[in-house]
Amino acid sequence: MRGFSSLAALAILLFSLSLPPAPVLAETAAAESVLGQRDVEEGLTCQCGCGLTVAACNHLECSFAVPVRKDIAESLARGESGEQILERYKREYGEKVLSSPVPEGFNILAWVAPYLGIFIAGSLMFTFFRRRALRAPVEATTAPLPTSRKTDERIARLQDEVEESKR
Amino acid sequence: MIEIGNLALYLALATCLYAIGTSVYGAQRSRSAFVASGEHAAYATWGLVVIATTVMVHALLTNDFRLKYVAEYSSTTLPLRYKITSLWGGMEGSMLFWALILTTFIAIAQFQNRARNRALMPYVTATTCTVAAFFLSMLALITPPFALLPYPPAEGTDLNPLLQNYWMQIHPPSLYLGYVSWTIPFGFAIAALVTGRVDDLWIRTSRRWCLMAWFFLSLGNLFGARWAYEVLGWGGYWAWDPVENAAFMPWLTGTAYLHSVMIQERKDMLKVWNMTLIIMTFGLTIFGTFLTRSGVISSVHSFTQSGLGPYFMGFLCFVLAGSSALLVYRLDALKPRHKLDSLLSRESAFLFNNLLLVGIAFATLWGTIFPVLSEAVRGVKITVGPPFFNRVNAPLAIGLLLLMGIGPLIAWRRATMRHLMETFLPPAAFGVAAGVAIFAAGMRSLSALLVVSFSAFVVYTVVSEFHTGARARMSMVGEGYVAALRGLLRKNQRRYGGYIIHVGIVCMFLGVTMSSVYRVEELHTVAKGEEFTIGDYTLRYEDSGSSEDEHMASLKATLRVFEGGREITVLEPEKRFYKRPEQPATEVAFRSTMKDDLYVILGSIDKDGKATFQGYVNPLVWWLWFGGAVLVLGTAVAAFPARRAVERERARESAAAAREQAG
């Protein structure tokens, strides 16, 4: 049960680290926005066919990325928030212009599934290896390593080396 | 000549099918003559594919534009080296190249095992030849490389300019060698499942193949990153493109396998898991080929849509269904002999490592196919780009980095708190100190702080492993420190080679993190003689020039670079215009040091001489490539056994062969 809880905690921790910044999840006022020019450029996919974000598009005279970068700079200067700019582009080009799925509705699955998968796979693996092993006697060579003194540690290491070199 | 190529392909398919049939029949009926005939047929298949490939290379070298493939991917003006590399520049050629590598590897595996593993070999032959037969049937029936044009052109279309680069000469072959090598361990795994001999034999026999596959996949990914860095001109090296992901996923599951297999060898655990990982890794190599050739997912790397997709999907389903059925059939025989005693043990650390590696592979696969899923479910096209992959995978990768330090030090079976404190206090303190130091130096990014701290932790553990081992040898054997270190490496190359690889991975982590988090980017339009700055560098636009030959026209700018008022280098970014096909390309100019890379792209030069430059300063990116070199060194140490280990292995094999004969 302890192993299960540890895995659940690990999965939740990793998931929370992976979520997009809070402002992307909800509409916020311009004053509260934390999305800067670079973040908004990263949030949009270039439509020229390069497959990169607007920030990374390598075409210096790109018909999409260049004017969009300019528009983002001007819009931010006017007081429009990064989220509002992203929303405007989403309305104009559809969801495909956003470089990652907005975590709402079906798209939540995109963000949750990897961690859910890790949690389920991990639970199954650890349960399997703890419970479904053959009840064979434990071999003498697998006794726990001595841990307290330096000399013990060295002897343990040499035992370890010998055992591995036999393989 | 062309007819010979076609005929060789058809005959290769026939001999390959014959090899499958006779191998299985011979094994089932215990008829060694049939088994031997199957193996000879596998050699013959290889010979025939060599002939077909030779015909294709000859056609490329002699500009035989009667062949559709040569007309589409070569030209009379294409330099010789690119004529050869255009063998894998297009769909049909790359499939032929794949078949060549695969049949070569099958022949090598046959030859290596001509006098050993005789119970497994018929099924290894049958499995690997089934894979070869699939590729050969695609070549013979669906995408024939020797298709002729009714009206041959006087000149070819030429190879895509983006592929006319040094890294493109070595990136695809490395990747293909990596992909294809996994077929051999997969063949041994299936043979073990069919025969019920699911002990360590198949693992030991295929260990070098796995290492080779992993090594070439690592190189292939690195070379591809380097190519993107030098050619695509966006200052980065990894864009989470579906085809990049396709090469990354089997690398991840293969890495998981190389770790978990140690648990099976030592503790007789994870047998089902190891089988699953091999099947998964091989399945992902086929999935990657499907992605590149099906047109299901758009990618800058993919070949033109070909109609191969359904066949690859069908073959993948066949592989997964067949392997899973065999695995379920042998579940009882695959039961572990020991159970996991504690979550605080080396076994658990390896399991967590596997979980995270497979987790990253799953997250990458999920992100790659999610647009297709979304369109199917909601009817809405969405993009899953780099920000998604970075956000989802970064925490997992950082966790993996931490485990790289924990795994080698934690005790087998069960670690006590006292042991943990004694063992981990010094490296943890070193890691925290490194984190505090860079925080004090002004770094505030959480991911950078974590990566630096964990990297320091890992490096400390690796160094202490070498140091403690050497000290132990000194006291037991009476050697000097350097001799003890050498002896340590010689006695257990696999373990210490692995540690060297860990150091390489740490270097790569540092390079990737720092160049992503602290990249500086600037765009400047300047007249001749004017200066501009990027980060700590000052650049003076000195001059521009143009040149033209029958292959391309080029526009070049000359920039003098100063740091701290001192001239340090001259950069010459270029803009090229290839004539066939008409396509512009960027030739990036950069200066690479251990501290950072100054990376400059020429955008345009106006009529009045003003030039636009995009510049980047990528901190520590040098360490990414250096980490790759360390990884090569570590793999070499781990893969090439010392003479004594070879002798031991031979003795073990002789004993096994004697037992097999007696039985």
PDB file of all heavy atoms in Angstrom, chain B residues 432-450:
ATOM      1  N   VAL B 432      23.643  19.632  -3.817  1.00  0.00           N
ATOM      2  CA  VAL B 432      23.007  20.842  -3.264  1.00  0.00           C
ATOM      3  C   VAL B 432      23.973  22.018  -3.361  1.00  0.00           C
ATOM      4  O   VAL B 432      23.589  23.131  -3.750  1.00  0.00           O
ATOM      5  CB  VAL B 432      22.577  20.590  -1.790  1.00  0.00           C
ATOM      6  CG1 VAL B 432      22.140  21.889  -1.129  1.00  0.00           C
ATOM      7  CG2 VAL B 432      21.452  19.564  -1.736  1.00  0.00           C
ATOM      8  N   ALA B 433      25.253  21.742  -3.062  1.00  0.00           N
ATOM      9  CA  ALA B 433      26.251  22.821  -3.130  1.00  0.00           C
ATOM     10  C   ALA B 433      26.344  23.379  -4.549  1.00  0.00           C
ATOM     11  O   ALA B 433      26.417  24.603  -4.744  1.00  0.00           O
ATOM     12  CB  ALA B 433      27.616  22.288  -2.689  1.00  0.00           C
ATOM     13  N   ALA B 434      26.292  22.487  -5.532  1.00  0.00           N
ATOM     14  CA  ALA B 434      26.355  22.944  -6.931  1.00  0.00           C
ATOM     15  C   ALA B 434      25.135  23.812  -7.248  1.00  0.00           C
ATOM     16  O   ALA B 434      25.249  24.859  -7.907  1.00  0.00           O
ATOM     17  CB  ALA B 434      26.413  21.743  -7.870  1.00  0.00           C
ATOM     18  N   GLY B 435      23.960  23.376  -6.766  1.00  0.00           N
ATOM     19  CA  GLY B 435      22.733  24.140  -7.001  1.00  0.00           C
ATOM     20  C   GLY B 435      22.812  25.514  -6.355  1.00  0.00           C
ATOM     21  O   GLY B 435      22.469  26.528  -6.986  1.00  0.00           O
ATOM     22  N   VAL B 436      23.310  25.562  -5.103  1.00  0.00           N
ATOM     23  CA  VAL B 436      23.427  26.840  -4.383  1.00  0.00           C
ATOM     24  C   VAL B 436      24.408  27.749  -5.120  1.00  0.00           C
ATOM     25  O   VAL B 436      24.169  28.956  -5.277  1.00  0.00           O
ATOM     26  CB  VAL B 436      23.881  26.592  -2.921  1.00  0.00           C
ATOM     27  CG1 VAL B 436      24.259  27.902  -2.237  1.00  0.00           C
ATOM     28  CG2 VAL B 436      22.773  25.876  -2.142  1.00  0.00           C
ATOM     29  N   ALA B 437      25.498  27.158  -5.598  1.00  0.00           N
ATOM     30  CA  ALA B 437      26.521  27.960  -6.286  1.00  0.00           C
ATOM     31  C   ALA B 437      25.952  28.630  -7.531  1.00  0.00           C
ATOM     32  O   ALA B 437      26.180  29.827  -7.760  1.00  0.00           O
ATOM     33  CB  ALA B 437      27.710  27.077  -6.653  1.00  0.00           C
ATOM     34  N   ILE B 438      25.195  27.887  -8.327  1.00  0.00           N
ATOM     35  CA  ILE B 438      24.700  28.524  -9.563  1.00  0.00           C
ATOM     36  C   ILE B 438      23.527  29.467  -9.249  1.00  0.00           C
ATOM     37  O   ILE B 438      23.295  30.422  -9.968  1.00  0.00           O
ATOM     38  CB  ILE B 438      24.322  27.510 -10.667  1.00  0.00           C
ATOM     39  CG1 ILE B 438      23.154  26.629 -10.259  1.00  0.00           C
ATOM     40  CG2 ILE B 438      25.500  26.707 -11.126  1.00  0.00           C
ATOM     41  CD1 ILE B 438      22.429  26.084 -11.468  1.00  0.00           C
ATOM     42  N   PHE B 439      22.832  29.205  -8.130  1.00  0.00           N
ATOM     43  CA  PHE B 439      21.777  30.141  -7.721  1.00  0.00           C
ATOM     44  C   PHE B 439      22.436  31.469  -7.337  1.00  0.00           C
ATOM     45  O   PHE B 439      21.973  32.542  -7.730  1.00  0.00           O
ATOM     46  CB  PHE B 439      20.991  29.555  -6.543  1.00  0.00           C
ATOM     47  CG  PHE B 439      19.822  30.400  -6.130  1.00  0.00           C
ATOM     48  CD1 PHE B 439      18.604  30.321  -6.793  1.00  0.00           C
ATOM     49  CD2 PHE B 439      19.936  31.300  -5.065  1.00  0.00           C
ATOM     50  CE1 PHE B 439      17.530  31.113  -6.420  1.00  0.00           C
ATOM     51  CE2 PHE B 439      18.869  32.095  -4.690  1.00  0.00           C
ATOM     52  CZ  PHE B 439      17.657  32.002  -5.364  1.00  0.00           C
ATOM     53  N   ALA B 440      23.530  31.350  -6.587  1.00  0.00           N
ATOM     54  CA  ALA B 440      24.260  32.557  -6.173  1.00  0.00           C
ATOM     55  C   ALA B 440      24.823  33.294  -7.381  1.00  0.00           C
ATOM     56  O   ALA B 440      24.951  34.517  -7.386  1.00  0.00           O
ATOM     57  CB  ALA B 440      25.384  32.175  -5.219  1.00  0.00           C
ATOM     58  N   ALA B 441      25.134  32.519  -8.443  1.00  0.00           N
ATOM     59  CA  ALA B 441      25.680  33.131  -9.658  1.00  0.00           C
ATOM     60  C   ALA B 441      24.579  33.808 -10.484  1.00  0.00           C
ATOM     61  O   ALA B 441      24.868  34.415 -11.514  1.00  0.00           O
ATOM     62  CB  ALA B 441      26.390  32.083 -10.494  1.00  0.00           C
ATOM     63  N   GLY B 442      23.336  33.663 -10.064  1.00  0.00           N
ATOM     64  CA  GLY B 442      22.257  34.401 -10.729  1.00  0.00           C
ATOM     65  C   GLY B 442      21.257  33.557 -11.503  1.00  0.00           C
ATOM     66  O   GLY B 442      20.326  34.089 -12.101  1.00  0.00           O
ATOM     67  N   MET B 443      21.433  32.238 -11.528  1.00  0.00           N
ATOM     68  CA  MET B 443      20.480  31.400 -12.275  1.00  0.00           C
ATOM     69  C   MET B 443      19.223  31.202 -11.442  1.00  0.00           C
ATOM     70  O   MET B 443      19.300  30.854 -10.260  1.00  0.00           O
ATOM     71  CB  MET B 443      21.105  30.053 -12.599  1.00  0.00           C
ATOM     72  CG  MET B 443      22.106  30.134 -13.715  1.00  0.00           C
ATOM     73  SD  MET B 443      22.514  28.498 -14.320  1.00  0.00           S
ATOM     74  CE  MET B 443      23.957  28.860 -15.281  1.00  0.00           C
ATOM     75  N   ARG B 444      18.070  31.401 -12.057  1.00  0.00           N
ATOM     76  CA  ARG B 444      16.822  31.292 -11.308  1.00  0.00           C
ATOM     77  C   ARG B 444      15.864  30.251 -11.894  1.00  0.00           C
ATOM     78  O   ARG B 444      14.814  30.003 -11.336  1.00  0.00           O
ATOM     79  CB  ARG B 444      16.105  32.659 -11.265  1.00  0.00           C
ATOM     80  CG  ARG B 444      16.851  33.713 -10.474  1.00  0.00           C
ATOM     81  CD  ARG B 444      16.892  33.355  -8.984  1.00  0.00           C
ATOM     82  NE  ARG B 444      17.597  34.360  -8.188  1.00  0.00           N
ATOM     83  CZ  ARG B 444      18.901  34.325  -7.934  1.00  0.00           C
ATOM     84  NH1 ARG B 444      19.649  33.324  -8.392  1.00  0.00           N
ATOM     85  NH2 ARG B 444      19.487  35.262  -7.208  1.00  0.00           N
ATOM     86  N   SER B 445      16.203  29.689 -13.033  1.00  0.00           N
ATOM     87  CA  SER B 445      15.301  28.706 -13.647  1.00  0.00           C
ATOM     88  C   SER B 445      15.299  27.416 -12.819  1.00  0.00           C
ATOM     89  O   SER B 445      16.360  26.849 -12.531  1.00  0.00           O
ATOM     90  CB  SER B 445      15.772  28.410 -15.075  1.00  0.00           C
ATOM     91  OG  SER B 445      15.326  27.146 -15.475  1.00  0.00           O
ATOM     92  N   LEU B 446      14.096  26.957 -12.442  1.00  0.00           N
ATOM     93  CA  LEU B 446      13.985  25.757 -11.611  1.00  0.00           C
ATOM     94  C   LEU B 446      14.586  24.547 -12.316  1.00  0.00           C
ATOM     95  O   LEU B 446      15.338  23.769 -11.722  1.00  0.00           O
ATOM     96  CB  LEU B 446      12.514  25.486 -11.262  1.00  0.00           C
ATOM     97  CG  LEU B 446      12.251  24.219 -10.456  1.00  0.00           C
ATOM     98  CD1 LEU B 446      12.878  24.308  -9.069  1.00  0.00           C
ATOM     99  CD2 LEU B 446      10.753  23.930 -10.331  1.00  0.00           C
ATOM    100  N   SER B 447      14.261  24.400 -13.616  1.00  0.00           N
ATOM    101  CA  SER B 447      14.772  23.224 -14.321  1.00  0.00           C
ATOM    102  C   SER B 447      16.298  23.253 -14.401  1.00  0.00           C
ATOM    103  O   SER B 447      16.965  22.226 -14.233  1.00  0.00           O
ATOM    104  CB  SER B 447      14.149  23.092 -15.708  1.00  0.00           C
ATOM    105  OG  SER B 447      14.319  24.278 -16.412  1.00  0.00           O
ATOM    106  N   ALA B 448      16.877  24.454 -14.624  1.00  0.00           N
ATOM    107  CA  ALA B 448      18.339  24.551 -14.688  1.00  0.00           C
ATOM    108  C   ALA B 448      18.956  24.213 -13.337  1.00  0.00           C
ATOM    109  O   ALA B 448      19.953  23.487 -13.262  1.00  0.00           O
ATOM    110  CB  ALA B 448      18.750  25.946 -15.131  1.00  0.00           C
ATOM    111  N   LEU B 449      18.328  24.708 -12.263  1.00  0.00           N
ATOM    112  CA  LEU B 449      18.862  24.438 -10.922  1.00  0.00           C
ATOM    113  C   LEU B 449      18.817  22.937 -10.616  1.00  0.00           C
ATOM    114  O   LEU B 449      19.781  22.362 -10.104  1.00  0.00           O
ATOM    115  CB  LEU B 449      18.049  25.196  -9.862  1.00  0.00           C
ATOM    116  CG  LEU B 449      18.286  26.708  -9.809  1.00  0.00           C
ATOM    117  CD1 LEU B 449      17.238  27.385  -8.929  1.00  0.00           C
ATOM    118  CD2 LEU B 449      19.677  27.018  -9.281  1.00  0.00           C
ATOM    119  N   LEU B 450      17.681  22.317 -10.947  1.00  0.00           N
ATOM    120  CA  LEU B 450      17.541  20.883 -10.683  1.00  0.00           C
ATOM    121  C   LEU B 450      18.535  20.074 -11.507  1.00  0.00           C
ATOM    122  O   LEU B 450      19.182  19.148 -11.007  1.00  0.00           O
ATOM    123  CB  LEU B 450      16.116  20.417 -11.001  1.00  0.00           C
ATOM    124  CG  LEU B 450      15.028  20.829  -9.999  1.00  0.00           C
ATOM    125  CD1 LEU B 450      13.650  20.411 -10.504  1.00  0.00           C
ATOM    126  CD2 LEU B 450      15.284  20.196  -8.633  1.00  0.00           C
TER     127      LEU B 450
END
